[in-house]
Amino acid sequence: MTSLELWPIGNCQVSGLIDETGSIVWGCVPRVDGDPTFCALLRGEDGHELGTWRFMLEGQCKVEQEYLRNTPILRTRLEDELGGKVDIFDFCPRFERLGRMFRPVAFARIVRPVAGSPRLRVLLTPMNGYGAAQAPITHGTNHIRYLNDRHALRLTTDAPVGYVLDERHFRVESALHFYLGPDEPFVGNVGREVEAMLQQTEAYWRLWVRGLATPLDWQQAVIRAAITLKLCQHEETGAIVAALTTSIPEAPNSRRNWDYRYCWIRDAYYTVQALNRLGALDVLEKYLAYLRNLVDDAHAGVIQPLYSVSGAREIIEWEAECLPGYRGMGPVRIGNAAYYQLQNDCYGQIIIPNIQAFSDHRLLRMANAEDFTSLEKVGEMAWQLHDQPDAGLWELRTRTAVHTYSSVMSWAACDRLANAAELLGLNDREALWRTRADAIRAHIDQQAWFAEGGHYAASFGGQELDASLLQLVELRYVHAADPRFQATLKAVEKTLRRGEHMLRYASEDDFGLPETAFNICTFWLIEALHLDGRDEEAKALFEAMLAHRTRSGLLSEDMDFETGELWGNFPQTYSLVGIINCAGLLSRSWGDWR
């Protein structure tokens, strides 16, 4: 049965997901939000022969998988009934070449014989038009072309092309190399070049990981989360997508199927925040460049909740009728209508990461007074909208309210602009933004405090709760010891906690009552427990969450709070952020270990 036991590979231009058989079952070209050349993941239970790239041994009986240490390079070992074995190395090339980063729209695979006399079958069936048709084929002596109106691909290989075309088993007696990339002649000997690409890609990732400031405990979990978060950045523009997939349901047959292959300002904010704590400034710098372009293009400072990885504003939502969906649970949605929603928290989430650029001398490009002036346009919108209804961070489609989280983010926008003005010596601007921050705070404390229940509510004048209230300390709106936060934590935990899991909210939304827990909310609870001095409980809950990861060490967006099964798009940046943040909070210090 199709599952989320998937192993991502990528190079910050393209990415692929490999299943438990060693098959590439998801991968879009020429970028993460493109047409899924490999779409078997969403073809239902009977559609795995199309939209895949599979290696199979005759009489295959066993599969083992692991990443090469500190890389997104996957090694899959296939074994047959007679003891024949091969190793498959899957990666997308990424390394510096000719003074710039080489990250082609390409998937590389190496098959090496290990034992016995294994016989291999290659099944390569790329699709066009979101699963509408198999790509037409032409071929030459050592290559096969898969045609597409927009982005044709060429497989260059030293394996027998005839066997690949006929999908016949053949004996593997020496290493075989496969390079599926742009439709252009492959320069050089494919075997030597792909082997060199593997070595250079492995070296790149190990050096990148070497620069991370990881906590002492849970290092491997943090490193895997960090590598995967970096894979979610489209390096050409700096955009960070929420996940690599579309339309994995949040719960079985729920129709809560969304396309997450876009840059949500909110999700990217949390991602760069987590990676920044590890010292991964390269991701932050590229994302800040993306934000500067969004701010420049914003009309009167108006910011959308999400954009395409190119920065395009319009992301029309439609359904790909030729794809049945994950386990047949459609629809498969392409695009996301949330782009035209009002989600007022995004103003704070643009400003907060930008503020670091005014004070961090490690950055190649520090922010200046002109950048501050541009950010003030965004701050003006935060000020104007802090008490206005929006769809909120949970993106409700049929109703609005003045959401406390959005208003607190508006407060944070004004507060951080005051900090930046102080650094720049702009006393009049500092005074203006501090006055506005104080006014928003007073309004929140008056309107969001539910006196009868003795806690903050999720919306102005309401009494309902949601998990975002746990972020009040993280945003520096209140201190952890503040009795108001203590009371809110107690109320949120009582209402939304389900054993080892947390709901976003417990009330009905556009699709009824929530059926699964939202993983980032569980990590927010772990952070709150730590802040409340309940470290042993927080660590036990953190270990429980880690135990639910896939064998690739990752998490999706949602989890069945009764069975622990993963649901929702994968890998989910929110969830990986939770791993990094909680490990940092709960780990012993390096000084204690030494």
Side-chain angles (χ1 to χ4, degrees):
M1 182 173 68
T2 304
S3 77
L4 294 183
E5 282 293 344
L6 302 168
W7 302 74
I9 60 171
N11 61 5
C12 304
Q13 174 65 41
V14 291
S15 55
L17 296 179
I18 298 174
D19 72 3
E20 294 178 283
T21 71
S23 305
I24 301 180
V25 295
W26 184 258
C28 304
V29 296
R31 61 189 196 193
V32 65
D33 59 353
D35 191 349
T37 292
F38 302 112
C39 56
L41 181 66
L42 298 184
R43 289 189 59 81
E45 294 301 334
D46 300 322
H48 289 177
E49 294 299 302
L50 294 177
T52 189
W53 187 359
R54 182 176 303 169
F55 293 139
M56 297 167 287
L57 294 184
E58 190 173 54
Q60 184 172 306
C61 63
K62 187 177 180 181
V63 181
E64 296 177 346
Q65 291 172 297
E66 65 177 359
Y67 282 120
L68 299 190
R69 189 175 76 89
N70 293 354
T71 78
I73 300 170
L74 178 63
R75 182 187 71 84
T76 300
R77 173 161 293 183
L78 307 181
E79 184 174 347
D80 65 29
E81 295 168 340
L82 300 177
K85 300 177 185 178
V86 298
D87 278 345
I88 304 166
F89 294 87
D90 282 300
F91 66 102
C92 295
R94 179 179 173 84
F95 50 86
E96 190 171 321
R97 188 171 77 173
L98 301 177
R100 63 180 181 178
M101 192 59 64
F102 178 67
R103 41 175 171 74
V105 179
F107 303 88
R109 312 191 79 177
I110 300 173
V111 180
R112 294 177 184 164
V114 175
S117 302
R119 287 171 51 80
L120 182 74
R121 179 187 177 210
V122 182
L123 181 67
L124 177 52
T125 56
M127 304 294 287
N128 288 341
Y130 293 87
Q134 191 170 347
I137 296 173
T138 64
H139 65 90
T141 304
N142 66 349
H143 75 267
I144 304 171
R145 298 174 67 228
Y146 300 91
L147 305 182
N148 183 298
D149 290 341
R150 296 185 177 182
H151 198 89
L153 294 171
R154 179 186 295 231
L155 175 70
T156 304
T157 182
D158 51 14
V161 168
Y163 287 143
V164 176
L165 288 168
D166 293 344
E167 300 176 2
R168 293 174 54 196
H169 286 96
F170 62 95
R171 183 177 288 203
V172 181
E173 296 182 334
S174 60
L176 304 173
H177 305 85
F178 301 81
Y179 185 86
L180 183 66
D183 185 23
E184 55 193 36
F186 187 93
V187 178
N189 178 280
V190 65
R192 287 196 297 269
E193 292 298 323
V194 172
E195 290 285 353
M197 288 179 187
L198 175 64
Q199 294 176 13
Q200 290 170 287
T201 300
E202 182 179 5
Y204 166 82
W205 284 105
R206 288 191 171 169
L207 283 173
W208 185 80
V209 168
R210 185 185 179 195
L212 298 179
T214 60
L216 171 60
D217 298 316
W218 305 291
Q219 285 186 61
Q220 291 184 337
V222 168
I223 288 170
R224 182 54 51 200
I227 288 173
T228 309
L229 286 179
K230 184 170 174 64
L231 292 183
C232 289
Q233 182 167 58
H234 184 68
E235 191 170 67
E236 181 179 335
T237 62
I240 300 170
V241 298
L244 298 179
T245 59
T246 177
S247 301
I248 308 298
E250 293 181 12
N253 297 304
S254 64
R255 296 186 64 85
R256 298 175 188 261
N257 300 12
W258 313 112
D259 191 351
Y260 279 8
R261 301 171 301 153
Y262 307 104
C263 184
W264 267 259
I265 300 302
R266 179 186 312 111
D267 300 53
Y269 155 73
Y270 281 108
T271 297
V272 297
Q273 179 193 59
L275 289 176
N276 188 41
R277 287 168 173 162
L278 299 178
L281 292 182
D282 58 330
V283 177
L284 172 66
E285 286 184 312
K286 292 183 181 299
Y287 179 62
L288 291 182
Y290 178 77
L291 287 185
R292 286 193 292 270
N293 280 303
L294 295 188
V295 171
D296 286 348
D297 292 338
H299 302 304
V302 176
I303 299 295
Q304 293 179 184
L306 67 149
Y307 296 82
S308 78
V309 296
S310 70
R313 290 191 289 268
E314 193 172 62
I315 310 173
I316 302 298
E317 184 177 303
W318 56 281
E319 295 181 8
E321 296 181 356
C322 295
L323 293 175
Y326 180 76
R327 299 186 188 172
M329 299 177 187
V332 172
R333 292 189 173 97
I334 308 300
N336 200 302
Y339 80 89
Y340 60 72
Q341 286 186 344
L342 295 176
Q343 296 177 29
N344 297 334
D345 56 311
C346 65
Y347 296 98
Q349 288 146 356
I350 278 192
I351 287 173
I352 293 174
N354 267 286
I355 297 305
Q356 180 175 341
F358 291 94
S359 60
D360 193 337
H361 289 265
R362 297 172 298 170
L363 296 174
L364 295 175
R365 181 195 183 280
M366 293 186 67
N368 55 34
E370 291 181 359
D371 295 313
F372 180 78
T373 300
S374 294
L375 279 181
E376 283 195 299
K377 293 189 301 182
V378 180
E380 282 293 338
M381 293 304 300
W383 166 245
Q384 293 177 29
L385 298 173
H386 77 270
D387 59 353
Q388 297 301 304
D390 70 351
L393 79 163
W394 309 124
E395 301 185 341
L396 301 175
R397 293 198 168 197
T398 59
R399 63 181 186 268
T400 62
V402 182
H403 290 95
T404 302
Y405 178 84
S406 295
S407 191
V408 171
M409 271 294 179
S410 294
W411 167 84
C414 297
D415 177 74
R416 304 318 192 263
L417 281 172
N419 293 345
E422 182 181 11
L423 282 170
L424 295 171
L426 303 174
N427 298 333
D428 58 334
R429 307 311 294 169
E430 178 190 358
L432 172 71
W433 291 111
R434 293 231 184 272
T435 299
R436 289 180 169 181
D438 291 343
I440 296 175
R441 175 188 284 279
H443 201 185
I444 293 170
D445 286 345
Q446 180 184 30
Q447 295 295 322
W449 182 254
F450 175 46
E452 184 178 339
H455 58 74
Y456 283 108
S459 65
F460 281 18
Q463 58 184 14
E464 75 283 4
L465 294 153
D466 75 20
S468 69
L469 295 169
L470 298 177
Q471 288 286 282
L472 294 179
V473 175
E474 170 64 31
L475 292 169
R476 304 206 302 265
Y477 184 79
V478 296
H479 295 291
D482 189 318
R484 296 171 300 174
F485 179 72
Q486 294 285 317
T488 302
L489 168 59
K490 183 177 180 180
V492 168
E493 190 175 2
K494 179 181 178 181
T495 305
L496 302 181
R497 185 169 179 175
R498 301 291 186 271
E500 297 175 344
H501 309 281
M502 280 284 287
L503 304 180
R504 287 174 287 187
Y505 43 80
S507 56
E508 287 196 15
D509 59 17
D510 310 333
F511 295 85
L513 289 171
E515 301 175 63
T516 50
F518 203 65
N519 290 330
I520 186 59
C521 297
T522 305
F523 288 116
W524 287 349
L525 174 62
I526 293 168
E527 294 174 16
L529 294 177
H530 164 72
L531 294 169
D532 196 35
R534 297 155 64 183
D535 268 9
E536 291 308 311
E537 186 179 354
K539 288 179 181 178
L541 190 54
F542 183 50
E543 291 284 4
M545 285 298 291
L546 293 180
H548 287 297
R549 292 175 299 158
T550 61
R551 283 188 282 278
S552 59
L554 305 173
L555 288 167
S556 63
E557 180 185 46
D558 307 276
M559 193 183 302
D560 188 308
F561 48 80
E562 293 182 353
T563 68
E565 184 175 6
L566 295 177
W567 290 91
N569 283 306
F570 179 92
Q572 177 72 14
T573 53
Y574 260 158
S575 302
L576 304 183
V577 163
I579 292 173
I580 292 172
N581 288 346
C582 289
L585 285 174
L586 300 173
S587 174
R588 296 168 295 165
S589 73
W590 285 94
D592 291 341
W593 181 75
R594 294 193 188 103

